[in-house]
Amino acid sequence: MWSKFMPVPLALAAALSLGAAPAPSVPSGADARVTTAFTLPGAKVYPEGIAADARTGTVYVGSYADGTVYRARPGARSAEVFLPAGTDGRTTANGLRVDARGRLWVTDSTKGVTVYDTRTGSRLARFEVPGNAPRFVNDLTVTPDGAAYLTDSVRGVIYRVTPEQLAAGDGPLLVAYDLTPALRPRPAGGFSLNGIVSDPAGRFLLTVDMPQGELHRVDLRTGALSRVTLTGGDLTSPDGLDLSPDGTLRVAQNVPNTLTRWKLSPDGTRGRLTGTLTDPSLQIPTTLTHRPGRTLVVRSQFDKDGPLTPSTGTPTAFTIASVRGF
């Protein structure tokens, strides 16, 4: 998530202060088992985003540090480089998604999003935020109609790329929803929106306000904005989201080394906490993707000589965690 518009430690300190972590909790997901799914080659990877191709089982991971995108085929114990650092001028790879047609979407926080053919690695389209004003394009989701929605953590908006825009190729990344009226006040340049998911039926979007620990809903039919009512727990430092077809929302909460699981109401207006897993071996989890039987979680190690300050040491090998029973 390097940004040319603000120093990284200052940008993240407001949202990811190490001093903000709560005391470890006893996990109601105590039966969950955390192991290593696969490793990522490189000494300073600092992974951020993850996406799985539902058709092939292939998993893609993006590097916050230099924009490399890694690929792990089913059963592989080590990922390989799929898109090298600097591809298409990209210096970060924040949010990743593979859509229903097997296209890989990769965000670059300082510019926008690029779409790739997962079979050949060729670039299909690129969409950039117009102008030079500060921005931080963070995470994205793709709805059943093929539209992509992307959060901007600095501007507090959600961008949209329509199927028609994608078919036309490169273009501007334009605002679809401005959430600033619904967000709590924050310092100028401070972070807000982060992870985002969409209802499998295409009715609404859900996105988190990371420093406030709030979950927001966007009605895709009316454009109405609302705050999701959460019961049974809270969201401290929420980052990546994953929404299963059965209405289970899983959240990576980075600084507390926590995963939470929520049961949403059918309309997405309410959520009830059903599971919590706090484990230091998650190593500052940023994003996650759930498949039947396990959840894959990015171990960012941002606190190990990475963007989080102060550093708590040097990083070990960079890996993706596999969590079963959650």
Side-chain angles (χ1 to χ4, degrees), residues 36 40 42 73 84-85 89 93 105 133 136 138 147 176 229 237 246 321:
T36 295
L40 300 166
R73 301 181 189 275
W105 298 68
F136 200 101
N138 202 326
T229 301
S237 300
D246 66 356

Side-chain angles (χ1 to χ4, degrees), residues 59-86:
V59 177
Y60 299 87
V61 179
S63 168
Y64 165 89
D66 62 14
T68 300
V69 175
Y70 300 89
R71 174 177 62 190
R73 301 181 189 275
R77 299 299 297 170
S78 179
E80 61 186 354
V81 173
F82 178 61
L83 300 171

Side-chain angles (χ1 to χ4, degrees), residues 126-169:
R126 183 176 177 87
F127 302 91
E128 296 190 1
V129 179
N132 296 314
R135 81 289 304 268
F136 200 101
V137 184
N138 202 326
D139 206 355
L140 77 154
T141 187
V142 180
T143 51
D145 64 358
Y149 293 86
L150 307 93
T151 55
D152 189 315
S153 298
V154 168
R155 296 186 177 183
V157 302
I158 296 176
Y159 304 107
R160 177 174 55 209
V161 177
T162 67
E164 293 76 19
Q165 290 171 314
L166 179 59

